Every structure is written in C-alpha cells, then in structure tokens.
Amino acid sequence: MPDRPDYSALTRGQIALLERISTGDTGLAMLGRLVRLAQDVLGALGAGFAEYGPGHGRVIACAGRCAGALGRRVTVPEADRTQFLPLDALDDAIAGRGDGTDIRYVLGTPCAVGDAVVGALYVSYGEGGEPGPEHHAVLELLAATAGHLYGRQAGFPVHGDGPVVAALADGLAVVDRDRVVQLWNPAAERLTGRTAAEALHHELPFPVPPPGQVLVHHLPSGRRLKVTAGDLPRTPAMRVVTFRDSTDQDRRHEDRDLFVAVTSHELRTPVTVIKGYADTLTNHWDSLGDQGRQDAVRAIGARAGELARLVDRLLSATSEDGEVGGAPPGPFDLADALRAAAAALPAGLRRRLVLENLPGDLPKAFGDRDSLATILTELATNADKYSPAETEVTVTAAGDESTVTFRVADRGIGIRPEHVERAFERYWQGTAGAGAGLGLYLVRRIVERQHGWVSLRPRQGGGTVAEVRFPRA
C-alpha cells in the first residue's frame, strides 16, 4: 500500500462529489462513487460499503477486488471505531470475502448519522504493512461524507425513507383547547422530526382523537403514528396526547392481508385449468378419443406441477426466518445444472433464453443442485416480464478462487440503483401490477441458505443483470 493517501485525487474527488450532492444527487449512485474514490485515494485492492439494518447488514456498494461481494449479507460488528484487521478475524463482520485470494486485511470505519450507526465503509489490502494514521483519517472523512448522504434520507435500501433513528419511547404532548402545544417531550421530537422550539406554541401537526379512541396518522416521512388522547386531570382545558410508531406493526398486518390476496390470485389459474380438464374428461370421455384424452391428462399433469411449485413458493414466503426446503449442500457442476434447469423451463421462456458462456472447465460449486431449477425459473421469469419480447435473456457463468457465479442478463427497462436491494423484499413491486413480488425474495432466501449471495445491478447499455454466487467446492 502507498505510504500516504493520494491527496490530489481526494481533493478532486471530494469536490466532484459535493458538486453532485449540491445539485440533488444522492442514494446508491453517489455512494458507489464514494466507494470507488476510497479505493483510489487509499491505494486499496478494493472497497465497499455495508449498510446495517435490524439484525444484520448487507454490502450495497463495492469496487475493485471486492466487487463480487455486492448483495452479500454480513453480521454487524460491535466495534464503533476504525479498525485494521486480518480478513479471517472479521468472520464476514464487515466486508465478507473478496474475489481475490491476495486480499488479506480490511481497514473499516463506522458511518453514523448523529448517534445512529447506519453502516461501515471499508477498504481491502494485500500484504504490505499496516496503513498509517493518515489512511485512517481519510477513510473517516469519506465515511462522514457517506453519513451526509444518509442524512438526506433518500435512495438507500434500509435508511432511505424516513428518519434514521427509530423512536425508542412514546411521544407525549400537552395541548390546549385550540390544539396549541404546551409540552413536547424528546420522544415526540424523534418521532415527528419537529424540535421542541418548532412545536411549542404552535398547533399540533395531526388531529386529536376523542378519548378512548385510536387514530392512525401518516407522516410525510412514511412513518405511521398511533395516536391516543385524554383529558388532563384537574385541568379540563388541557389534553394529553400520546403517540407511538406503529409502522412495522401495521405493515405486518398489510403483509398478512396481501399474502392472502396473492395466494388466492396465484392459485386460481392452475386450479381452474385442472378442474376444467377434469370436467371435460368426466363429461366427454367417449367423444374425446385417445388423443384428446391424452392431451387433457398431459395438461392436468403440467398444471399440477405448476400448482406444486406455486405452493412451495407461497409457503416459503410465509416466514422471514424459516427454512426453505432443499437438500443439504454439496459439490455440483453448475454448468450442467444450468443446462438441465433451462431445459425444464416453460417453452416460452426456453425460446428466449440463450446459454451464452458456460465453460467446460468451470470449477465445482458448493450448494443444492436441485435448487437451480427454482432459482433460474424465477430470474428468467423476472427478466421476461420486464424486457421486450424480441430481446434475448442471456445466461453466463464463471469461476474464481473462492466462488462460482452465474448471471442472467436482459435488455429490459432496467432497475434504478436505489431499487437494487428493495427488489428482494417480500411483496415489493417495481411496477404497478407487475406481479406478486415473491420471486426475488425467494431466490435470495434459497441462495443464502447455501451460503451464497445474489445481487442485481443495471446493465450497461440498458437492462438488468442478476448475479448469483455460490462458494467454490
């Protein structure tokens, strides 16, 4: 590694970043530029940013030798300071594993907005000594810039749609008969984003429900407040208003209702077709003839197989943490498994799919071979849904020292950088009426059960690339 950071590149890069930020650019695209700047300025082999959410983190931007870690789930470290550690000591806590075996160390620093740590910025090195204080200082400067991006609260997977710091206690306000605020506690500040100075002696920014009733108020940030109120004892002209964040609870109820709707919609078509053909066989057996009866039985068999796959998908989507079915992982030939999975696709998808580059000397992957049918079906279906009918969907594969990878690429409408992680959320749809929003969610769960990871990215020239990485056997 260089003895000193490249301060000339740092100055140019920071000026360019700030100019873009001042014109309104934010989100993952800007974070990607910052990560590449960190790699260049600090003379690293690679760099990345892991965003922290509830319970775990995920690599959402990376460059250089760390590019293969995009989409990888990582654990959240306990350290709250800049550290330089051997890669093995991290246990995937910050960076996951890079593609190159020559990566040996990671220098990482937390990224915070106020007191809330939203992620970590890191650079990766090979052999060559420990980075000095100047390297630490530059990385911390760039992490502060990342924190500034997060402070704008736009375009990030976890911390992009509202206040970064969740409320830890109920908000409380005391209002007079005209709903003018006389008291405003710290939790109220956190929940609403209004300081006491902004709230006191001004009208309460949401309605007050009658005593004994509950009102749900939607803030512009997307947060939902569950509001209750009561009279202040011995002061009838005053009312106490309490409110708490009910966003997650309400969304769980919505997920349940949406799951019921999705289930009925997804199952209706194959059930209707099976019943229709069964009725036809029952009522017209003699008039159908042998060929007609065989065609009807084949259609019932095909729809029954489709129904079984739908049931597996829908049941797998009922739990965030439950196991997705499958055999124990082991070594398998990825190229051969992809060919078999492609041959089993419905005819319409099969015609669009082009197996472009499946090397014969591809190293063995470690995972569940049988799951490739589900993974490829979901990715190919997604590509088919969002790309013009006359374009091809290509499948390629490659291997390196630590992973075996395949990519499904289309020439469709593409994906916005801030949506590359949201696309894996259960029920999320990028386009209104685009489907149930379960396919990519299921793919990520299946792949991560096998200690692999999956990511999406915009394709140069238009379209989307889905990349699945398995550990090398």
Side-chain angles (χ1 to χ4, degrees):
M1 70 185 66
D3 294 334
R4 302 186 68 213
D6 186 342
Y7 288 109
S8 176
L10 175 64
T11 302
R12 292 193 305 271
Q14 280 284 82
I15 290 173
L17 278 170
L18 293 174
E19 287 177 346
R20 295 285 295 273
I21 293 171
S22 67
T23 61
D25 287 348
T26 186
L28 275 177
M30 292 299 294
L31 188 63
R33 292 172 65 96
L34 188 145
V35 165
R36 292 190 293 273
L37 179 63
Q39 175 187 329
D40 295 342
V41 169
L42 294 172
L45 297 176
F49 187 90
E51 184 183 58
Y52 297 157
H56 68 272
R58 197 173 293 279
V59 178
I60 63 170
C62 43
R65 299 287 179 83
C66 296
L70 184 66
R72 182 157 191 162
R73 180 173 172 144
V74 297
T75 55
V76 178
E78 296 181 0
D80 58 357
R81 65 188 188 281
T82 304
Q83 289 187 297
F84 181 66
L85 294 171
L87 196 61
D88 290 342
L90 290 170
D91 190 25
D92 289 346
I94 296 177
R97 305 288 176 188
D99 283 343
T101 55
D102 49 351
I103 290 180
R104 293 290 181 267
Y105 300 95
V106 167
L107 176 67
T109 191
C111 171
V113 179
D115 294 329
V117 176
V118 296
L121 178 66
Y122 63 89
V123 289
S124 300
Y125 293 102
E127 303 291 356
E130 183 173 344
E134 290 178 283
H135 294 76
H136 287 235
V138 168
L139 190 65
E140 289 165 3
L141 170 66
L142 294 175
T145 304
H148 178 64
L149 286 171
Y150 270 88
R152 298 170 72 89
Q153 301 174 2
F156 293 107
V158 174
H159 303 292
D161 297 309
V164 173
V165 184
L168 301 178
D170 289 357
L172 183 144
V174 174
V175 299
D176 62 20
R177 66 180 64 193
D178 296 319
R179 294 180 46 237
V180 173
V181 177
Q182 306 299 318
L183 183 146
W184 193 251
N185 76 339
E189 294 186 358
R190 292 195 298 269
L191 283 165
T192 65
R194 289 191 174 211
T195 66
E198 294 168 329
L200 289 173
H201 311 302
H202 292 83
E203 187 176 337
L204 191 71
F206 45 80
V208 177
Q213 296 186 23
V214 177
L215 178 147
V216 176
H217 177 74
H218 296 249
L219 294 175
S221 65
R223 175 172 281 172
R224 305 174 192 187
L225 300 182
K226 189 165 287 187
V227 186
T228 58
D231 294 329
L232 192 64
R234 296 184 296 277
T235 313
M238 295 291 187
R239 303 191 72 185
V240 177
V241 183
T242 59
F243 42 98
R244 65 177 56 184
D245 186 353
S246 66
T247 307
D248 291 340
Q249 182 182 17
D250 291 346
R251 284 176 179 165
R252 283 195 295 271
H253 289 307
E254 288 179 358
D255 277 358
R256 180 194 62 195
D257 295 340
L258 183 56
F259 176 75
V260 172
V262 165
T263 301
S264 62
H265 171 76
E266 293 267 9
L267 298 181
R268 186 175 291 116
T269 298
V271 168
T272 300
V273 173
I274 289 171
K275 185 178 185 304
Y277 275 107
D279 289 345
T280 299
L281 288 171
T282 300
N283 298 325
H284 305 284
W285 179 271
D286 294 330
S287 61
L288 283 173
D290 286 344
Q291 185 62 47
R293 289 192 289 267
Q294 290 174 11
D295 290 343
V297 169
R298 275 194 292 269
I300 289 174
R303 291 296 184 167
E306 179 185 341
L307 183 61
R309 289 191 294 273
L310 283 172
V311 169
D312 285 342
R313 288 178 70 219
L314 294 167
L315 291 178
S316 297
T318 59
S319 169
E320 292 285 352
D321 301 315
E323 282 294 320
V324 180
F332 72 96
D333 186 325
L334 178 63
D336 185 62
L338 286 171
R339 293 188 191 96
L345 290 172
L349 277 180
R350 212 164 48 239
R351 283 192 292 270
R352 296 196 65 180
L353 209 66
V354 177
L355 305 183
E356 194 170 75
N357 182 19
L358 303 181
D361 58 351
L362 199 65
K364 297 277 189 180
F366 189 80
D368 174 14
R369 177 193 169 102
D370 293 340
S371 72
L372 258 292
T374 299
I375 295 170
L376 185 62
T377 298
E378 298 295 350
L379 295 180
T381 299
N382 203 58
D384 176 69
K385 186 185 304 179
Y386 295 111
S387 55
E390 68 276 6
T391 59
E392 294 180 342
V393 176
T394 60
V395 179
T396 59
D400 57 43
E401 293 85 350
S402 58
T403 62
V404 186
T405 306
F406 78 92
R407 299 177 180 90
V408 178
D410 64 58
R411 285 297 184 190
I413 62 175
I415 186 167
R416 292 165 56 183
E418 61 266 32
H419 290 167
V420 294
E421 281 300 310
R422 293 204 66 195
F424 291 101
E425 294 177 9
R426 182 168 52 174
Y427 305 131
W428 188 81
Q429 300 174 9
T431 303
L438 293 175
L440 291 177
Y441 167 79
L442 182 59
V443 166
R444 173 162 274 178
R445 292 191 63 209
I446 291 173
V447 172
E448 290 190 345
R449 180 179 60 82
Q450 302 172 62
H451 308 293
W453 62 99
V454 58
S455 62
L456 293 178
R457 63 175 179 270
R459 186 181 185 185
Q460 188 172 4
T464 304
V465 178
E467 181 178 271
V468 177
R469 287 180 176 262
F470 293 104
R472 179 170 168 164

